[in-house]
């Protein structure tokens, strides 16, 4: 056979075989049979020297072109085969993908701590509705209609006599009226509260409070002071002191604002506490006789103390946060910093 035709025929066959090959082993066998040391195209290339001189150049050219074409066809086929995905068997014993469980919100962490402290001191947890009657939110707490104290708590009315509670104090009244004349009354009442305030670094129209109430025979301001000192030390550390400043609340007499040692400067005075060395944490006092009466208790026979604190404020002091709005922005980089693993 004419050596040029022979090259053409070999190339044609090889290309067909490559097209049929369905794994890399088959391609390798094709390569060896045409291009290997004993391969048929190799044999033609080797024998060129033996051809008549006028045939050498055209046959050589043709055979080299065939060799290049075969090599590139093999390479293309090889790439196509290795692109077919490898189907791994499913390993049912492999560990699953981690699931992000999230963390407790910093306000929840602080509230849980507050509740734990009081429950450990014998208090139980009570609650009340967020939509409250005017009577429970104001009147029953000795804040008469038209009294300027209602202005201090600019509130949202949702009906003639219905208000989004502006404080957790109505929980005191509800609990007493349900349990009178049982003694002692010893509760904490956490919850969400609402005021018509514009958002700024220290105000939010929705915020959280926790109320506390203790009523029994012979309760004095001394018990209040001891309880608050113990509470502040458990929450902020043994080194803190509490300070009472005279104040006014319609539902307590006498009333006090209660401060704790500034957690940034330890009473030396710094920008965080405005140079005062203390930070205000809550309002407190001895329950007003009218409120005891409205709760169904005899103010001649029993007495009690109460206080109410803002959870946002406690969390800001505890964690050194200066903008309350950070609690509501849902930025996980912020919210994840407080170690609130789910429990
Ligand atoms: N309810 C008050 C407020 O929101 C806080 C408060 C003060 C609660 C004195 C009390 C209390 O129970 O005795 O500002």
């Amino acid at each position: 056979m004419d050596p040029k035709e022979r090259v053409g025929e070999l190339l044609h066959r090889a290309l067909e075989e490559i097209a049929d090959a369905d794994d890399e082993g088959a391609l390798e066998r094709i390569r060896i049979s045409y291009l290997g040391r004993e391969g048929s195209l190799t044999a033609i290339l080797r024998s060129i020297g033996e051809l008549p001189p006028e045939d050498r150049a055209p046959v050589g050219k043709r055979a080299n072109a065939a060799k290049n074409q075969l090599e590139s066809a093999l390479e293309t086929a090889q790439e196509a085969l290795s692109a077919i995905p490898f189907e791994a068997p499913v390993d049912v014993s492999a560990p699953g993908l981690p699931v992000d469980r999230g963390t407790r919100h910093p306000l929840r962490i602080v509230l849980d701590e507050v509740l734990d402290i009081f429950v450990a001191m014998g208090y139980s947890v009570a609650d009340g509705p967020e939509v409250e009657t005017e009577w429970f939110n104001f009147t029953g707490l000795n804040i008469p209609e038209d009294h300027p104290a209602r202005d201090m708590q600019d509130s949202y009315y949702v009906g003639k006599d219905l208000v989004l509670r502006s404080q957790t104090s109505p929980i005191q009244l509800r609990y007493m009226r349900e349990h009178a004349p049982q003694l002692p009354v010893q509760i904490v009442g956490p919850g969400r509260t609402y005021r018509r305030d514009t958002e700024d670094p220290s105000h939010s129209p929705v915020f959280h409070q926790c109320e506390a109430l203790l009523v029994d025979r012979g309760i004095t301001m001394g018990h209040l002071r001891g309880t608050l000192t113990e509470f502040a030390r458990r929450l902020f550390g043994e080194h803190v002191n509490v300070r009472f400043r005279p104040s006014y609340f319609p539902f307590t007499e006498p009333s006090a604002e209660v401060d704790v040692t500034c957690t940034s400067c330890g009473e030396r005075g710094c920008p965080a506490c405005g140079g005062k060395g203390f930070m205000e944490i809550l309002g407190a006092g001895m329950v007003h006789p009218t409120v005891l009466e409205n709760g169904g208790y005899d103010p001649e026979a029993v007495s009690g103390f109460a206080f109410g604190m803002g959870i946002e404020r406690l969390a800001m002091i505890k964690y050194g946060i200066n903008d309350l709005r950070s609690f509501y922005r849902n930025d996980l980089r912020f919210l994840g910093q407080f170690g609130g693993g789910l429990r």
Side-chain angles (χ1 to χ4, degrees), residues 43-53 56:
I44 292 177
L45 281 161
R46 260 201 212 124
S47 64
I48 284 175
E50 292 150 26
L51 293 176
R56 288 181 199 165

Side-chain angles (χ1 to χ4, degrees), residues 48-105:
I48 284 175
E50 292 150 26
L51 293 176
E54 69 276 16
D55 283 346
R56 288 181 199 165
V59 173
K61 216 170 157 193
R62 185 123 191 203
N64 272 316
K67 184 182 173 204
N68 288 341
Q69 202 179 336
L70 258 186
E71 276 172 349
S72 75
L74 282 167
E75 200 178 316
T76 311
Q78 161 89 34
E79 275 166 19
L81 278 178
S82 60
I84 294 173
F86 170 65
E87 277 190 48
V90 175
D91 178 358
V92 293
S93 70
L97 295 175
V99 175
D100 191 351
R101 299 206 307 154
T103 60
R104 282 179 299 155
H105 191 281

Side-chain angles (χ1 to χ4, degrees), residues 105-112 208 311-312 315 319 327-328:
H105 191 281
L107 293 177
R108 183 75 237 179
I109 299 172
V110 170
L111 178 58
D112 281 345
H208 301 79
I311 301 303
E312 279 81 352
Y319 297 126
F327 292 126
Y328 311 120

Side-chain angles (χ1 to χ4, degrees), residues 153-203:
Q153 301 189 359
D154 240 348
S155 26
Y156 292 108
Y157 277 79
V158 293
K160 191 180 165 307
D161 181 37
L162 285 178
V163 64
L164 295 184
R165 70 177 171 201
S166 59
Q167 49 185 350
T168 44
S169 305
I171 296 174
Q172 299 182 21
L173 273 180
R174 286 188 175 272
Y175 190 90
M176 283 192 283
R177 288 165 75 89
E178 249 173 59
H179 293 83
Q182 286 171 31
L183 288 173
V185 172
Q186 195 177 7
I187 53 152
V188 276
R192 196 166 288 154
T193 43
Y194 303 82
R195 283 187 203 175
R196 211 143 42 73
D197 278 327
T198 307
E199 258 200 1
D200 69 22
S202 54
H203 292 86

Side-chain angles (χ1 to χ4, degrees), residues 44 48 151-152 172 184 205 209 259 334 337:
I44 292 177
I48 284 175
D151 286 349
M152 284 162 43
Q172 299 182 21
Q209 287 191 336
D259 302 340
F334 170 78
Q337 291 176 79

